Amino acid sequence: MKPGTFGVSRSHGDLQNVDIIEDRSVRRKSGLPSRYQKGKFLGKGGFAKCYEVQDLESKEFFAAKIVSKASITKPRAHAKLRSEIAIHRELRHEKVVKFYDFFEDQEHVYIMLEVCPNQTLNEFMRRRPAKRLSEQEAIFYNYDLILALQYLHRRRIIHRDLKLGNLFLDKNMRLKVGDFGLAAQLEFSGDKRRTICGTPNYIAPEILEGKHGHSFEVDIWSLGVIVYTMVFGRPPFETSDVKTTYKKIKNNQYVFPEAVRVSMQVKDLIRRILQTDPSTRPSLDDILNSSWFCTSRVPPPMPDSVSSCSASPR
Ligand code: ADP
């Protein structure tokens, strides 16, 4: 088969054609297009399985995120995938996982992404004996995260699911924000969203309250949770059940564990970010100008402890 032909009914890069509704009467054998050679399994999410694939023509490697249409029959799941594609395909930034293409056959939707062979910051932290990062490492990664958020917020996009597991690490151990499944693009800057979404430990109180809608400040809140989790090794509102976690978030109940020695500057920044009233949280620029970030050179240099961890070259 010629490269570029897929042997299955497909649409290619045209969002109108991602109908994502399985028509069993025309169901055919399907699979990855033949020009791509499937490689190792990279991971699994709520809907997707992800594999490393090589384009046999260009020899380039990609991450193929494969979503089974059978798993997204509910309108909400369907809308989530359509929105993820519509938002992610328009993004081009060094700190955002690159979106290359998407297509579908009768059974699956395939999203071709930049491959991030060093997994996410979640796995990176878990491999550490103390399960946390040094403050220099946290500054290094949060600087990149802020650059990504500045880009997204300028485009009126709220990520709404920022967490360590969505902060991918490329082949050079640099951060790339991924998974736009819950992202929202606002019509105008003062617009608000009402859908309850996010990951329990990282969700902002105004999303849980749901009364007045939410906006870009929910990403700032999650950034505060990320900074806390990086330096203390566990999320600030974590408990064994989701209800109690939500209660703690709503009541702004968290402590700085005394057993972990961290700087006054990072505690001060976390306190300023984790404020119940979204309007009192600092802006991204305020965070970059905080005394914590000022303890480092800008841009922060990659700590040796990070550079020694990158995946071995192929
Ligand atoms: P879902 O939308 O179903 O939650 P995710 O986007 O979380 O799926 O992807 C599932 C898993 O696949 C991730 O947890 C990660 O392990 C892996 N993965 C996703 N995108 C990439 C990528 N670009 N590079 C490497 N691995 C990836």
Side-chain angles (χ1 to χ4, degrees):
M1 198 182 297
K2 274 203 328 264
T5 58
F6 297 84
V8 286
S9 151
R10 66 177 179 99
S11 56
H12 191 54
D14 175 1
L15 195 58
Q16 294 309 314
N17 290 331
V18 180
D19 56 16
I20 319 174
I21 295 168
E22 191 179 28
D23 179 351
R24 288 177 189 277
S25 65
V26 291
R27 192 167 177 168
R28 290 196 237 157
K29 191 167 165 17
S30 58
L32 248 190
S34 60
R35 75 183 235 221
Y36 293 109
Q37 186 169 34
K38 199 162 165 184
K40 69 173 186 221
F41 176 67
L42 292 171
K44 187 172 174 285
F47 296 103
K49 278 191 186 146
C50 200
Y51 293 89
E52 187 174 80
V53 299
Q54 187 178 22
D55 182 333
L56 295 173
E57 235 183 289
S58 69
K59 308 291 177 212
E60 267 186 279
F61 285 89
F62 298 96
K65 190 167 159 172
I66 305 175
V67 181
S68 155
K69 291 184 179 180
S71 71
I72 49 161
T73 49
K74 287 198 180 135
R76 230 178 126 182
H78 185 152
K80 177 180 175 287
L81 184 62
R82 285 183 72 95
S83 154
E84 172 173 353
I85 294 171
I87 290 177
H88 198 170
R89 69 188 298 213
E90 297 299 327
L91 302 177
R92 269 162 212 83
H93 191 268
E94 205 200 331
K95 306 296 174 199
V96 171
V97 173
K98 268 195 212 75
F99 182 108
Y100 286 101
D101 200 0
F102 72 99
F103 37 81
E104 67 174 323
D105 59 27
Q106 299 298 333
E107 299 189 356
H108 298 97
V109 176
Y110 304 86
I111 303 175
M112 307 303 276
L113 302 170
E114 165 182 14
V115 64
C116 295
N118 286 303
Q119 303 176 291
T120 71
L121 276 175
N122 197 25
E123 288 85 18
F124 181 59
M125 274 183 57
R126 280 185 197 194
R127 284 197 297 271
R128 287 292 172 85
K131 315 282 180 224
R132 55 175 188 265
L133 300 186
S134 70
E135 287 189 46
Q136 272 317 306
E137 290 169 333
I139 288 178
F140 172 71
Y141 280 121
N142 279 291
Y143 181 81
D144 283 354
L145 173 55
I146 290 172
L147 296 188
L149 285 178
Q150 284 177 327
Y151 168 75
L152 294 174
H153 291 184
R154 260 201 315 274
R155 299 177 70 98
R156 295 195 310 279
I157 292 167
I158 325 176
H159 186 284
R160 301 200 299 181
D161 199 18
L162 291 175
K163 55 181 176 180
L164 293 169
N166 284 337
L167 303 180
F168 291 87
L169 295 170
D170 73 2
K171 62 179 189 306
N172 301 314
M173 290 299 286
R174 299 302 304 229
L175 177 146
K176 306 266 172 168
V177 174
D179 196 353
F180 289 82
L182 294 179
Q185 183 151 31
L186 299 183
E187 303 270 308
F188 53 94
S189 309
D191 194 7
K192 298 265 183 189
R193 282 302 163 114
R194 288 177 195 281
T195 324
I196 296 200
C197 61
T199 299
N201 274 318
Y202 295 79
I203 206 165
E206 65 270 28
I207 298 184
L208 296 176
E209 292 293 353
K211 277 188 234 145
H212 306 293
H214 60 262
S215 189
F216 304 105
E217 301 86 358
V218 303
D219 285 345
I220 307 277
W221 174 277
S222 303
L223 176 89
V225 175
I226 287 169
V227 173
Y228 181 110
T229 309
M230 283 179 174
V231 299
F232 288 108
R234 51 172 293 194
F237 305 101
E238 187 175 65
T239 65
S240 54
D241 75 295
V242 176
K243 262 193 176 166
T244 316
T245 296
Y246 286 170
K247 204 168 146 204
K248 285 185 131 197
I249 294 172
K250 285 187 195 170
N251 296 334
N252 205 249
Q253 260 182 304
Y254 68 96
V255 292
F256 294 125
E258 282 185 11
V260 185
R261 286 174 63 94
V262 300
S263 68
M264 290 301 292
Q265 287 94 332
V266 75
K267 285 190 197 169
D268 178 59
L269 179 63
I270 292 166
R271 264 192 224 104
R272 284 170 55 210
I273 296 179
L274 296 184
Q275 303 230 44
T276 308
D277 176 357
S279 70
T280 57
R281 285 175 212 148
S283 67
L284 293 168
D285 281 340
D286 293 339
I287 297 172
L288 278 184
N289 290 323
S290 68
S291 55
W292 188 54
F293 271 95
C294 292
T295 58
S296 172
R297 268 198 351 245
V298 174
M302 180 183 275
D304 292 344
S305 49
V306 171
S307 53
S308 60
C309 294
S310 53
S312 49
R314 279 192 190 85

